[in-house]
PDB file of all heavy atoms in Angstrom:
ATOM      1  N   ALA A  21       0.830  -1.211   0.000  1.00 97.00           N
ATOM      2  CA  ALA A  21       0.000   0.000   0.000  1.00 97.00           C
ATOM      3  C   ALA A  21       0.860   1.255   0.000  1.00 97.00           C
ATOM      4  O   ALA A  21       0.548   2.241  -0.694  1.00 97.00           O
ATOM      5  CB  ALA A  21      -0.932  -0.013   1.215  1.00 97.00           C
ATOM      6  N   GLN A  22       1.952   1.249   0.754  1.00 97.00           N
ATOM      7  CA  GLN A  22       2.849   2.399   0.783  1.00 97.00           C
ATOM      8  C   GLN A  22       3.510   2.622  -0.580  1.00 97.00           C
ATOM      9  O   GLN A  22       3.615   3.760  -1.064  1.00 97.00           O
ATOM     10  CB  GLN A  22       3.923   2.193   1.856  1.00 97.00           C
ATOM     11  CG  GLN A  22       3.397   2.209   3.289  1.00 97.00           C
ATOM     12  CD  GLN A  22       2.924   3.590   3.718  1.00 97.00           C
ATOM     13  OE1 GLN A  22       3.343   4.615   3.156  1.00 97.00           O
ATOM     14  NE2 GLN A  22       2.047   3.630   4.713  1.00 97.00           N
ATOM     15  N   GLN A  23       3.943   1.546  -1.225  1.00 96.00           N
ATOM     16  CA  GLN A  23       4.552   1.670  -2.548  1.00 96.00           C
ATOM     17  C   GLN A  23       3.543   2.193  -3.566  1.00 96.00           C
ATOM     18  O   GLN A  23       3.869   3.037  -4.414  1.00 96.00           O
ATOM     19  CB  GLN A  23       5.094   0.319  -2.994  1.00 96.00           C
ATOM     20  CG  GLN A  23       6.243  -0.198  -2.141  1.00 96.00           C
ATOM     21  CD  GLN A  23       6.673  -1.606  -2.538  1.00 96.00           C
ATOM     22  OE1 GLN A  23       6.158  -2.171  -3.493  1.00 96.00           O
ATOM     23  NE2 GLN A  23       7.618  -2.171  -1.791  1.00 96.00           N
ATOM     24  N   LEU A  24       2.321   1.695  -3.496  1.00 96.00           N
ATOM     25  CA  LEU A  24       1.291   2.128  -4.432  1.00 96.00           C
ATOM     26  C   LEU A  24       0.952   3.604  -4.223  1.00 96.00           C
ATOM     27  O   LEU A  24       0.730   4.344  -5.190  1.00 96.00           O
ATOM     28  CB  LEU A  24       0.041   1.262  -4.253  1.00 96.00           C
ATOM     29  CG  LEU A  24      -1.105   1.479  -5.233  1.00 96.00           C
ATOM     30  CD1 LEU A  24      -0.655   1.193  -6.664  1.00 96.00           C
ATOM     31  CD2 LEU A  24      -2.296   0.603  -4.867  1.00 96.00           C
ATOM     32  N   ASP A  25       0.939   4.042  -2.985  1.00 96.00           N
ATOM     33  CA  ASP A  25       0.642   5.444  -2.705  1.00 96.00           C
ATOM     34  C   ASP A  25       1.737   6.352  -3.262  1.00 96.00           C
ATOM     35  O   ASP A  25       1.444   7.442  -3.791  1.00 96.00           O
ATOM     36  CB  ASP A  25       0.498   5.640  -1.193  1.00 96.00           C
ATOM     37  CG  ASP A  25       0.126   7.068  -0.827  1.00 96.00           C
ATOM     38  OD1 ASP A  25      -0.947   7.534  -1.264  1.00 96.00           O
ATOM     39  OD2 ASP A  25       0.916   7.719  -0.124  1.00 96.00           O
ATOM     40  N   ARG A  26       2.997   5.931  -3.172  1.00 96.00           N
ATOM     41  CA  ARG A  26       4.078   6.738  -3.740  1.00 96.00           C
ATOM     42  C   ARG A  26       3.959   6.820  -5.263  1.00 96.00           C
ATOM     43  O   ARG A  26       4.212   7.874  -5.860  1.00 96.00           O
ATOM     44  CB  ARG A  26       5.441   6.140  -3.336  1.00 96.00           C
ATOM     45  CG  ARG A  26       5.796   6.348  -1.868  1.00 96.00           C
ATOM     46  CD  ARG A  26       7.253   6.021  -1.600  1.00 96.00           C
ATOM     47  NE  ARG A  26       7.523   4.603  -1.729  1.00 96.00           N
ATOM     48  CZ  ARG A  26       7.424   3.731  -0.714  1.00 96.00           C
ATOM     49  NH1 ARG A  26       7.063   4.154   0.493  1.00 96.00           N
ATOM     50  NH2 ARG A  26       7.703   2.451  -0.898  1.00 96.00           N
ATOM     51  N   PHE A  27       3.591   5.710  -5.871  1.00 96.00           N
ATOM     52  CA  PHE A  27       3.372   5.722  -7.317  1.00 96.00           C
ATOM     53  C   PHE A  27       2.252   6.698  -7.696  1.00 96.00           C
ATOM     54  O   PHE A  27       2.391   7.497  -8.634  1.00 96.00           O
ATOM     55  CB  PHE A  27       3.026   4.313  -7.796  1.00 96.00           C
ATOM     56  CG  PHE A  27       2.367   4.268  -9.139  1.00 96.00           C
ATOM     57  CD1 PHE A  27       3.106   4.381 -10.299  1.00 96.00           C
ATOM     58  CD2 PHE A  27       0.982   4.120  -9.245  1.00 96.00           C
ATOM     59  CE1 PHE A  27       2.491   4.343 -11.544  1.00 96.00           C
ATOM     60  CE2 PHE A  27       0.363   4.076 -10.472  1.00 96.00           C
ATOM     61  CZ  PHE A  27       1.115   4.201 -11.629  1.00 96.00           C
ATOM     62  N   CYS A  28       1.160   6.659  -6.954  1.00 96.00           N
ATOM     63  CA  CYS A  28       0.031   7.547  -7.245  1.00 96.00           C
ATOM     64  C   CYS A  28       0.436   9.012  -7.114  1.00 96.00           C
ATOM     65  O   CYS A  28       0.026   9.858  -7.919  1.00 96.00           O
ATOM     66  CB  CYS A  28      -1.142   7.238  -6.311  1.00 96.00           C
ATOM     67  SG  CYS A  28      -1.923   5.636  -6.611  1.00 96.00           S
ATOM     68  N   ALA A  29       1.241   9.317  -6.102  1.00 95.00           N
ATOM     69  CA  ALA A  29       1.655  10.702  -5.892  1.00 95.00           C
ATOM     70  C   ALA A  29       2.498  11.222  -7.061  1.00 95.00           C
ATOM     71  O   ALA A  29       2.444  12.410  -7.391  1.00 95.00           O
ATOM     72  CB  ALA A  29       2.439  10.814  -4.585  1.00 95.00           C
ATOM     73  N   GLU A  30       3.261  10.333  -7.713  1.00 95.00           N
ATOM     74  CA  GLU A  30       4.120  10.761  -8.815  1.00 95.00           C
ATOM     75  C   GLU A  30       3.326  11.123 -10.063  1.00 95.00           C
ATOM     76  O   GLU A  30       3.759  11.965 -10.856  1.00 95.00           O
ATOM     77  CB  GLU A  30       5.124   9.652  -9.151  1.00 95.00           C
ATOM     78  CG  GLU A  30       6.198   9.448  -8.087  1.00 95.00           C
ATOM     79  CD  GLU A  30       7.222   8.422  -8.526  1.00 95.00           C
ATOM     80  OE1 GLU A  30       7.571   8.394  -9.726  1.00 95.00           O
ATOM     81  OE2 GLU A  30       7.671   7.624  -7.681  1.00 95.00           O
ATOM     82  N   VAL A  31       2.190  10.487 -10.267  1.00 96.00           N
ATOM     83  CA  VAL A  31       1.463  10.687 -11.534  1.00 96.00           C
ATOM     84  C   VAL A  31       0.137  11.420 -11.351  1.00 96.00           C
ATOM     85  O   VAL A  31      -0.548  11.701 -12.332  1.00 96.00           O
ATOM     86  CB  VAL A  31       1.212   9.328 -12.215  1.00 96.00           C
ATOM     87  CG1 VAL A  31       2.520   8.634 -12.530  1.00 96.00           C
ATOM     88  CG2 VAL A  31       0.308   8.436 -11.361  1.00 96.00           C
ATOM     89  N   ASP A  32      -0.230  11.741 -10.134  1.00 96.00           N
ATOM     90  CA  ASP A  32      -1.536  12.362  -9.885  1.00 96.00           C
ATOM     91  C   ASP A  32      -1.464  13.860 -10.206  1.00 96.00           C
ATOM     92  O   ASP A  32      -1.158  14.690  -9.348  1.00 96.00           O
ATOM     93  CB  ASP A  32      -1.953  12.147  -8.430  1.00 96.00           C
ATOM     94  CG  ASP A  32      -3.409  12.512  -8.201  1.00 96.00           C
ATOM     95  OD1 ASP A  32      -4.101  12.837  -9.177  1.00 96.00           O
ATOM     96  OD2 ASP A  32      -3.856  12.448  -7.043  1.00 96.00           O
ATOM     97  N   MET A  33      -1.763  14.194 -11.437  1.00 95.00           N
ATOM     98  CA  MET A  33      -1.689  15.580 -11.896  1.00 95.00           C
ATOM     99  C   MET A  33      -2.976  15.966 -12.611  1.00 95.00           C
ATOM    100  O   MET A  33      -3.561  15.147 -13.326  1.00 95.00           O
ATOM    101  CB  MET A  33      -0.508  15.773 -12.856  1.00 95.00           C
ATOM    102  CG  MET A  33       0.830  15.390 -12.278  1.00 95.00           C
ATOM    103  SD  MET A  33       2.168  15.575 -13.484  1.00 95.00           S
ATOM    104  CE  MET A  33       3.531  14.864 -12.577  1.00 95.00           C
ATOM    105  N   GLN A  34      -3.376  17.202 -12.416  1.00 95.00           N
ATOM    106  CA  GLN A  34      -4.499  17.776 -13.137  1.00 95.00           C
ATOM    107  C   GLN A  34      -4.004  19.033 -13.843  1.00 95.00           C
ATOM    108  O   GLN A  34      -3.520  19.962 -13.197  1.00 95.00           O
ATOM    109  CB  GLN A  34      -5.652  18.092 -12.183  1.00 95.00           C
ATOM    110  CG  GLN A  34      -6.296  16.838 -11.591  1.00 95.00           C
ATOM    111  CD  GLN A  34      -7.435  17.156 -10.649  1.00 95.00           C
ATOM    112  OE1 GLN A  34      -7.303  18.022  -9.770  1.00 95.00           O
ATOM    113  NE2 GLN A  34      -8.547  16.475 -10.819  1.00 95.00           N
ATOM    114  N   ILE A  35      -4.133  19.042 -15.141  1.00 95.00           N
ATOM    115  CA  ILE A  35      -3.627  20.146 -15.955  1.00 95.00           C
ATOM    116  C   ILE A  35      -4.760  21.120 -16.235  1.00 95.00           C
ATOM    117  O   ILE A  35      -5.787  20.740 -16.816  1.00 95.00           O
ATOM    118  CB  ILE A  35      -3.043  19.630 -17.282  1.00 95.00           C
ATOM    119  CG1 ILE A  35      -1.973  18.559 -17.006  1.00 95.00           C
ATOM    120  CG2 ILE A  35      -2.478  20.773 -18.092  1.00 95.00           C
ATOM    121  CD1 ILE A  35      -0.832  19.033 -16.163  1.00 95.00           C
ATOM    122  N   GLY A  36      -4.575  22.356 -15.812  1.00 94.00           N
ATOM    123  CA  GLY A  36      -5.576  23.386 -16.050  1.00 94.00           C
ATOM    124  C   GLY A  36      -5.053  24.467 -16.988  1.00 94.00           C
ATOM    125  O   GLY A  36      -3.937  24.953 -16.822  1.00 94.00           O
ATOM    126  N   VAL A  37      -5.862  24.805 -17.981  1.00 95.00           N
ATOM    127  CA  VAL A  37      -5.564  25.926 -18.869  1.00 95.00           C
ATOM    128  C   VAL A  37      -6.616  26.995 -18.608  1.00 95.00           C
ATOM    129  O   VAL A  37      -7.817  26.754 -18.812  1.00 95.00           O
ATOM    130  CB  VAL A  37      -5.574  25.489 -20.350  1.00 95.00           C
ATOM    131  CG1 VAL A  37      -5.313  26.685 -21.250  1.00 95.00           C
ATOM    132  CG2 VAL A  37      -4.537  24.399 -20.591  1.00 95.00           C
ATOM    133  N   ASN A  38      -6.176  28.145 -18.131  1.00 96.00           N
ATOM    134  CA  ASN A  38      -7.101  29.203 -17.737  1.00 96.00           C
ATOM    135  C   ASN A  38      -7.364  30.168 -18.891  1.00 96.00           C
ATOM    136  O   ASN A  38      -6.452  30.540 -19.643  1.00 96.00           O
ATOM    137  CB  ASN A  38      -6.532  29.984 -16.548  1.00 96.00           C
ATOM    138  CG  ASN A  38      -6.218  29.076 -15.365  1.00 96.00           C
ATOM    139  OD1 ASN A  38      -7.020  28.218 -15.007  1.00 96.00           O
ATOM    140  ND2 ASN A  38      -5.041  29.254 -14.778  1.00 96.00           N
ATOM    141  N   LEU A  39      -8.611  30.570 -18.988  1.00 96.00           N
ATOM    142  CA  LEU A  39      -9.013  31.572 -19.976  1.00 96.00           C
ATOM    143  C   LEU A  39      -9.653  32.727 -19.211  1.00 96.00           C
ATOM    144  O   LEU A  39     -10.688  32.556 -18.566  1.00 96.00           O
ATOM    145  CB  LEU A  39     -10.020  30.968 -20.966  1.00 96.00           C
ATOM    146  CG  LEU A  39     -10.562  31.906 -22.033  1.00 96.00           C
ATOM    147  CD1 LEU A  39      -9.448  32.411 -22.946  1.00 96.00           C
ATOM    148  CD2 LEU A  39     -11.662  31.222 -22.845  1.00 96.00           C
ATOM    149  N   VAL A  40      -8.990  33.908 -19.250  1.00 96.00           N
ATOM    150  CA  VAL A  40      -9.480  35.058 -18.501  1.00 96.00           C
ATOM    151  C   VAL A  40      -9.895  36.175 -19.463  1.00 96.00           C
ATOM    152  O   VAL A  40      -9.391  36.274 -20.594  1.00 96.00           O
ATOM    153  CB  VAL A  40      -8.404  35.590 -17.524  1.00 96.00           C
ATOM    154  CG1 VAL A  40      -8.081  34.525 -16.479  1.00 96.00           C
ATOM    155  CG2 VAL A  40      -7.148  36.007 -18.257  1.00 96.00           C
ATOM    156  N   SER A  41     -10.822  36.989 -18.987  1.00 94.00           N
ATOM    157  CA  SER A  41     -11.328  38.079 -19.829  1.00 94.00           C
ATOM    158  C   SER A  41     -10.300  39.207 -19.897  1.00 94.00           C
ATOM    159  O   SER A  41      -9.480  39.381 -19.003  1.00 94.00           O
ATOM    160  CB  SER A  41     -12.639  38.601 -19.274  1.00 94.00           C
ATOM    161  OG  SER A  41     -12.425  39.263 -18.037  1.00 94.00           O
ATOM    162  N   ARG A  42     -10.374  39.997 -20.952  1.00 92.00           N
ATOM    163  CA  ARG A  42      -9.501  41.157 -21.107  1.00 92.00           C
ATOM    164  C   ARG A  42     -10.174  42.428 -20.592  1.00 92.00           C
ATOM    165  O   ARG A  42      -9.717  43.530 -20.852  1.00 92.00           O
ATOM    166  CB  ARG A  42      -9.131  41.328 -22.571  1.00 92.00           C
ATOM    167  CG  ARG A  42      -8.363  40.143 -23.162  1.00 92.00           C
ATOM    168  CD  ARG A  42      -8.029  40.395 -24.609  1.00 92.00           C
ATOM    169  NE  ARG A  42      -7.429  39.244 -25.263  1.00 92.00           N
ATOM    170  CZ  ARG A  42      -6.132  38.966 -25.263  1.00 92.00           C
ATOM    171  NH1 ARG A  42      -5.284  39.764 -24.629  1.00 92.00           N
ATOM    172  NH2 ARG A  42      -5.680  37.894 -25.891  1.00 92.00           N
ATOM    173  N   GLY A  43     -11.235  42.265 -19.880  1.00 87.00           N
ATOM    174  CA  GLY A  43     -11.968  43.408 -19.329  1.00 87.00           C
ATOM    175  C   GLY A  43     -13.458  43.155 -19.300  1.00 87.00           C
ATOM    176  O   GLY A  43     -14.110  43.319 -18.270  1.00 87.00           O
ATOM    177  N   THR A  44     -14.027  42.723 -20.421  1.00 91.00           N
ATOM    178  CA  THR A  44     -15.463  42.451 -20.491  1.00 91.00           C
ATOM    179  C   THR A  44     -15.725  41.023 -20.046  1.00 91.00           C
ATOM    180  O   THR A  44     -15.120  40.073 -20.572  1.00 91.00           O
ATOM    181  CB  THR A  44     -15.978  42.641 -21.934  1.00 91.00           C
ATOM    182  OG1 THR A  44     -15.652  43.950 -22.375  1.00 91.00           O
ATOM    183  CG2 THR A  44     -17.467  42.417 -21.999  1.00 91.00           C
ATOM    184  N   PRO A  45     -16.587  40.829 -19.058  1.00 94.00           N
ATOM    185  CA  PRO A  45     -16.863  39.456 -18.585  1.00 94.00           C
ATOM    186  C   PRO A  45     -17.509  38.607 -19.686  1.00 94.00           C
ATOM    187  O   PRO A  45     -18.129  39.121 -20.606  1.00 94.00           O
ATOM    188  CB  PRO A  45     -17.786  39.663 -17.393  1.00 94.00           C
ATOM    189  CG  PRO A  45     -18.352  41.031 -17.542  1.00 94.00           C
ATOM    190  CD  PRO A  45     -17.371  41.844 -18.309  1.00 94.00           C
ATOM    191  N   PHE A  46     -17.357  37.278 -19.511  1.00 96.00           N
ATOM    192  CA  PHE A  46     -17.943  36.340 -20.465  1.00 96.00           C
ATOM    193  C   PHE A  46     -19.410  36.115 -20.120  1.00 96.00           C
ATOM    194  O   PHE A  46     -19.752  35.809 -18.957  1.00 96.00           O
ATOM    195  CB  PHE A  46     -17.212  34.996 -20.427  1.00 96.00           C
ATOM    196  CG  PHE A  46     -15.729  35.104 -20.634  1.00 96.00           C
ATOM    197  CD1 PHE A  46     -14.852  34.237 -19.992  1.00 96.00           C
ATOM    198  CD2 PHE A  46     -15.189  36.053 -21.497  1.00 96.00           C
ATOM    199  CE1 PHE A  46     -13.496  34.311 -20.187  1.00 96.00           C
ATOM    200  CE2 PHE A  46     -13.819  36.137 -21.710  1.00 96.00           C
ATOM    201  CZ  PHE A  46     -12.962  35.270 -21.043  1.00 96.00           C
ATOM    202  N   ALA A  47     -20.282  36.238 -21.109  1.00 95.00           N
ATOM    203  CA  ALA A  47     -21.709  36.032 -20.889  1.00 95.00           C
ATOM    204  C   ALA A  47     -22.018  34.540 -20.837  1.00 95.00           C
ATOM    205  O   ALA A  47     -21.463  33.736 -21.597  1.00 95.00           O
ATOM    206  CB  ALA A  47     -22.518  36.694 -22.003  1.00 95.00           C
ATOM    207  N   GLY A  48     -22.930  34.163 -19.932  1.00 94.00           N
ATOM    208  CA  GLY A  48     -23.301  32.759 -19.780  1.00 94.00           C
ATOM    209  C   GLY A  48     -23.898  32.158 -21.038  1.00 94.00           C
ATOM    210  O   GLY A  48     -23.669  30.984 -21.344  1.00 94.00           O
ATOM    211  N   THR A  49     -24.671  32.919 -21.785  1.00 95.00           N
ATOM    212  CA  THR A  49     -25.281  32.398 -23.002  1.00 95.00           C
ATOM    213  C   THR A  49     -24.230  32.053 -24.045  1.00 95.00           C
ATOM    214  O   THR A  49     -24.341  31.046 -24.753  1.00 95.00           O
ATOM    215  CB  THR A  49     -26.271  33.429 -23.570  1.00 95.00           C
ATOM    216  OG1 THR A  49     -25.600  34.700 -23.709  1.00 95.00           O
ATOM    217  CG2 THR A  49     -27.462  33.599 -22.647  1.00 95.00           C
ATOM    218  N   LYS A  50     -23.174  32.885 -24.149  1.00 96.00           N
ATOM    219  CA  LYS A  50     -22.110  32.584 -25.102  1.00 96.00           C
ATOM    220  C   LYS A  50     -21.304  31.353 -24.661  1.00 96.00           C
ATOM    221  O   LYS A  50     -20.904  30.536 -25.493  1.00 96.00           O
ATOM    222  CB  LYS A  50     -21.187  33.787 -25.245  1.00 96.00           C
ATOM    223  CG  LYS A  50     -21.792  34.948 -26.025  1.00 96.00           C
ATOM    224  CD  LYS A  50     -20.746  36.015 -26.273  1.00 96.00           C
ATOM    225  CE  LYS A  50     -21.301  37.135 -27.142  1.00 96.00           C
ATOM    226  NZ  LYS A  50     -20.278  38.180 -27.432  1.00 96.00           N
ATOM    227  N   ILE A  51     -21.090  31.232 -23.369  1.00 96.00           N
ATOM    228  CA  ILE A  51     -20.367  30.066 -22.852  1.00 96.00           C
ATOM    229  C   ILE A  51     -21.133  28.787 -23.187  1.00 96.00           C
ATOM    230  O   ILE A  51     -20.553  27.794 -23.658  1.00 96.00           O
ATOM    231  CB  ILE A  51     -20.151  30.187 -21.328  1.00 96.00           C
ATOM    232  CG1 ILE A  51     -19.230  31.376 -21.018  1.00 96.00           C
ATOM    233  CG2 ILE A  51     -19.581  28.894 -20.763  1.00 96.00           C
ATOM    234  CD1 ILE A  51     -19.113  31.679 -19.540  1.00 96.00           C
ATOM    235  N   ARG A  52     -22.453  28.812 -22.961  1.00 96.00           N
ATOM    236  CA  ARG A  52     -23.257  27.622 -23.261  1.00 96.00           C
ATOM    237  C   ARG A  52     -23.208  27.277 -24.746  1.00 96.00           C
ATOM    238  O   ARG A  52     -23.036  26.107 -25.112  1.00 96.00           O
ATOM    239  CB  ARG A  52     -24.704  27.853 -22.829  1.00 96.00           C
ATOM    240  CG  ARG A  52     -25.619  26.656 -23.127  1.00 96.00           C
ATOM    241  CD  ARG A  52     -27.024  26.907 -22.651  1.00 96.00           C
ATOM    242  NE  ARG A  52     -27.616  28.039 -23.354  1.00 96.00           N
ATOM    243  CZ  ARG A  52     -28.830  28.538 -23.069  1.00 96.00           C
ATOM    244  NH1 ARG A  52     -29.541  28.032 -22.069  1.00 96.00           N
ATOM    245  NH2 ARG A  52     -29.309  29.563 -23.752  1.00 96.00           N
ATOM    246  N   ALA A  53     -23.330  28.262 -25.615  1.00 96.00           N
ATOM    247  CA  ALA A  53     -23.324  27.999 -27.056  1.00 96.00           C
ATOM    248  C   ALA A  53     -21.986  27.411 -27.505  1.00 96.00           C
ATOM    249  O   ALA A  53     -21.946  26.450 -28.288  1.00 96.00           O
ATOM    250  CB  ALA A  53     -23.619  29.294 -27.815  1.00 96.00           C
ATOM    251  N   LEU A  54     -20.893  27.967 -26.995  1.00 96.00           N
ATOM    252  CA  LEU A  54     -19.577  27.464 -27.382  1.00 96.00           C
ATOM    253  C   LEU A  54     -19.332  26.054 -26.834  1.00 96.00           C
ATOM    254  O   LEU A  54     -18.765  25.191 -27.522  1.00 96.00           O
ATOM    255  CB  LEU A  54     -18.492  28.413 -26.888  1.00 96.00           C
ATOM    256  CG  LEU A  54     -18.406  29.783 -27.582  1.00 96.00           C
ATOM    257  CD1 LEU A  54     -17.478  30.716 -26.796  1.00 96.00           C
ATOM    258  CD2 LEU A  54     -17.893  29.609 -29.015  1.00 96.00           C
ATOM    259  N   ALA A  55     -19.762  25.812 -25.614  1.00 96.00           N
ATOM    260  CA  ALA A  55     -19.556  24.500 -24.995  1.00 96.00           C
ATOM    261  C   ALA A  55     -20.349  23.417 -25.733  1.00 96.00           C
ATOM    262  O   ALA A  55     -19.831  22.327 -26.012  1.00 96.00           O
ATOM    263  CB  ALA A  55     -19.945  24.544 -23.524  1.00 96.00           C
ATOM    264  N   GLU A  56     -21.594  23.708 -26.045  1.00 95.00           N
ATOM    265  CA  GLU A  56     -22.405  22.720 -26.756  1.00 95.00           C
ATOM    266  C   GLU A  56     -21.874  22.482 -28.161  1.00 95.00           C
ATOM    267  O   GLU A  56     -21.901  21.352 -28.670  1.00 95.00           O
ATOM    268  CB  GLU A  56     -23.853  23.177 -26.782  1.00 95.00           C
ATOM    269  CG  GLU A  56     -24.511  23.154 -25.397  1.00 95.00           C
ATOM    270  CD  GLU A  56     -25.936  23.703 -25.417  1.00 95.00           C
ATOM    271  OE1 GLU A  56     -26.351  24.219 -26.483  1.00 95.00           O
ATOM    272  OE2 GLU A  56     -26.630  23.591 -24.380  1.00 95.00           O
ATOM    273  N   ALA A  57     -21.375  23.533 -28.814  1.00 96.00           N
ATOM    274  CA  ALA A  57     -20.782  23.352 -30.149  1.00 96.00           C
ATOM    275  C   ALA A  57     -19.532  22.486 -30.092  1.00 96.00           C
ATOM    276  O   ALA A  57     -19.186  21.815 -31.072  1.00 96.00           O
ATOM    277  CB  ALA A  57     -20.457  24.717 -30.750  1.00 96.00           C
ATOM    278  N   ALA A  58     -18.839  22.477 -28.952  1.00 95.00           N
ATOM    279  CA  ALA A  58     -17.632  21.664 -28.785  1.00 95.00           C
ATOM    280  C   ALA A  58     -17.948  20.251 -28.290  1.00 95.00           C
ATOM    281  O   ALA A  58     -17.025  19.496 -27.960  1.00 95.00           O
ATOM    282  CB  ALA A  58     -16.685  22.344 -27.804  1.00 95.00           C
TER     283      ALA A  58
END
């Protein structure tokens, strides 16, 4: 169990790519349309 936990710690990664506004907030309706299209 200890060996398995060390293995899990080495590969347990979550990659996040952030998208931030340049001033004008993102509208919820546009987010929904883009998400469904994807």
